[in-house]
Amino acid sequence: MARAVRYTISMDDSGITLRAGHADDWPAVSDLLSFAFHEPVSAEARDVEGSVVEPERTLVAEDGATVVGHAAAYTRELTVPGAIVPAAHVTLVGVAPTHKRRGLLTRMMHRQLREIAAAGREPIAVLWASETKIYPRFGYGPAAQRLRMEIMMREVRPPAGLAPGSADRLRLVEPKDVIAELTKVYERVRPERTGWSSRDDRWWRYVLADLESQRDGATGLRGVVYDTPDGPAGYALWRTKGEWDSRGPNSDVQVREVVADDPAAYAALWHFLLTIDLARTVKVHFAAVDEPLQYLVDEPRRLGSTLADGLWVRITDLPKALAARSYAAPVDVVLEVTDPLLEQNTGRWRLTAGPDGRATCTPTTDPADLACTILELGSAYLGATSLAALAAAGTVRELTPGSLRRAAVAFGWHRLPNPTEVF
Ligand SMILES: CC(=O)SCCNC(=O)CCNC(=O)[C@H](O)C(C)(C)COP(=O)(O)OP(=O)(O)OC[C@H]1O[C@@H](n2cnc3c(N)ncnc32)[C@H](O)[C@@H]1OP(=O)(O)O
């Protein structure tokens, strides 16, 4: 039976069509992504990945009946300075090796961003980039870095564990059995942690899916909950990868996430992880650049921290996005912004924030204080990339002396973002 036509289809000179996807596309899309990302796909992995895909938010490029390109977005929220905002989580982007460098990604990104802007629900789009060259041309700016750590466990004195006589306890758990408890802690911490994404039940099941094919020889995901008489105040998720060499035990502890409501829980969870027997290295991929652990150990250099990029932000609705977040200091600044793709963002905007950090952003004809493109505003949006550093790089221009310092301070935030989950 012919499927009802409800998708917008566009074809360019190359004869390749671009249309909104539907649920039946997933097996072919999954094969395409397996090619693009050099990953074998098991039936299990296909099901888990497919469980979070929103077919109506996917774009599928076809050459005849063959799927040759794909891009998707998830409907989730992101914590930004002082607020939680709807953010299109862009993902699953790939083009067949036979069809690359013919402008397919460009077509998909342009259409996707225009559709996000036209829908008017999500003032920003966010993504993790497979290669950092790819997304600036579409207006995405690097907005949140992360720390990777390779901690030499025997070289650092861990933070204090549970205080003797404390009523608090650590409890080993099977993560999938305690989703409700993990959710409670996560939700309490989430409003304060810029860079965190919302997780409904479906997303928790995805995050904890723990496929054997993706463990690379490590154990299943372990969990420990920090209990207080008032309930859980933190948890950690990790795996171990056992190894022995000629000098004895040399296992790795691979930390997935540590979430804590208060400093005692945070310290005790890290004490637990840093003292696991038979292990010598703790590996962390998603620590914050201002991770408190750095201030808790006696030999922070031995945490083996290196910087990596994390979240990229693309502002899709400038006035809505800038008014949605809070500001670290009062500010009244006129921004001259260019956005060649989403023209409605181009223009002069007055951003005003009071002492409570809440802001308004409206069009103006007043002279501009600062000039930049939409990319720089995306970079600065999570409070981590300084407008002043961008000005030193020459991509933000100060037109009114003194305005840069004030705006740079206001766009900052008291904690750095913590991109913690690749989606
Ligand atoms: C959010 C995510 O999902 S990130 C994952 C992105 N996907 C991958 O990395 C999987 C493997 N790579 C691919 O599938 C493809 O190479 C893609 C999707 C990255 C690019 O698709 P294409 O259709 O080839 O891109 P397109 O032809 O539109 O290229 C646009 C421009 O970006 C450049 N570009 C695209 N991909 C890359 C890349 N990986 N490295 C460097 N430059 C790139 C092109 O050279 C081109 O530049 P030009 O206009 O100056 O000539």
Side-chain angles (χ1 to χ4, degrees), residues 85-262:
V85 302
H89 284 49
V90 171
T91 183
L92 302 178
V93 175
V95 167
T98 46
H99 288 68
K100 66 179 193 178
R101 309 301 181 269
R102 286 158 59 176
L104 259 184
L105 172 72
T106 306
R107 278 175 74 192
M108 293 192 296
M109 290 297 102
H110 285 192
R111 174 159 163 182
Q112 186 186 55
L113 285 167
R114 287 197 181 108
E115 287 181 356
I116 292 166
R121 217 186 59 79
E122 296 160 320
I124 57 170
V126 293
L127 56 75
W128 288 76
S130 59
E131 303 201 57
T132 47
K133 258 185 193 173
I134 301 176
Y135 293 98
R137 73 188 64 227
F138 306 117
Y140 284 90
Q145 292 180 304
R146 65 193 156 112
L147 281 190
R148 292 170 190 256
M149 293 177 170
E150 271 202 37
I151 306 172
M152 299 173 79
M153 295 163 75
R154 299 293 166 116
E155 296 278 349
V156 295
R157 190 172 59 236
L162 283 170
S166 164
D168 298 351
R169 292 277 175 275
L170 290 172
R171 171 169 46 107
L172 287 176
V173 293
E174 173 61 47
K176 283 181 193 148
D177 293 345
V178 294
I179 288 181
E181 289 184 78
L182 304 186
T183 305
K184 245 189 223 164
V185 179
Y186 188 85
E187 287 302 316
R188 276 206 306 270
V189 180
R190 180 163 76 103
E192 289 299 317
R193 297 306 282 133
T194 49
W196 281 17
S197 299
S198 54
R199 289 180 188 167
D200 58 16
D201 199 49
R202 203 171 40 123
W203 272 100
W204 271 106
R205 277 184 270 118
Y206 176 83
V207 167
L208 301 178
D210 195 25
L211 299 180
E212 189 156 3
S213 55
Q214 292 170 0
R215 287 182 204 157
D216 194 23
T219 65
L221 198 62
R222 317 275 198 211
V224 62
V225 169
Y226 184 97
D227 281 325
T228 73
D230 299 325
Y235 68 84
L237 303 174
W238 82 98
R239 306 173 191 285
T240 49
K241 188 167 180 182
E243 196 184 315
W244 298 79
D245 61 25
S246 57
R247 284 164 297 193
N250 191 21
S251 301
D252 287 346
V253 177
Q254 303 172 353
V255 176
R256 175 66 194 79
E257 72 187 24
V258 177
V259 174
D261 224 1
D262 66 41

